Amino acid sequence: MKKVAIIMGSDSDLPVVRKAADVLDSFGVEYEMHVYSAHRTPNEAREFSLNARQNGFGVIIAAAGMAAHLAGAIAAGTTLPVIGIPIKSEQLGGMDALLSTVQMPSGIPVATVAIDGAKNAAILALEILSLEDSELAAKLEAFRLSGTEETLRKDKALNTK
């Protein structure tokens, strides 16, 4: 199975990004995490994205706040799917990061999840990888079913009080 790359613009993004890693761990999917900045380490970020496919990655998750150019910079160097996680900031609540991540030019897409939406980024990465992995697809089906069952248990508990 291909690996997932998790790239963050700063180690201050780790508390959010850790949620994506936890999901990948729970599914037994291999990943690597790196800190690359589109602005402070542009050469390293570009080098990573240019070589990601050859290095065994199938999906890249890129998280950044503020200017949040990282997902776009990574996407510019690869044809692998890139999933952007806009990180919440004090100044604009993450709206700046959301708009920077989602407003990509035609031809360079970045799938974008909610502000601080690391869990959904990991699930989307798993769904992409499951296109070629039936075992992973089955695990995702079981995951969805457990969510359904949990919601129905909560509904029942609510209505029995």
Side-chain angles (χ1 to χ4, degrees), residues 6 16 35 45-47 53 64 71 83 98 106 136 148-149 158:
I6 303 174
V16 171
V35 176
R46 178 133 177 97
E47 185 72 21
R53 186 181 301 273
I83 302 166
L98 174 63
S106 181
L136 183 56
T148 299
E149 291 169 348
L158 178 69

Side-chain angles (χ1 to χ4, degrees), residues 122-137:
I123 293 168
L124 180 55
L126 293 169
E127 290 175 344
I128 292 167
L129 292 178
S130 77
L131 292 170
E132 296 182 0
D133 187 319
S134 59
E135 186 177 321
L136 183 56

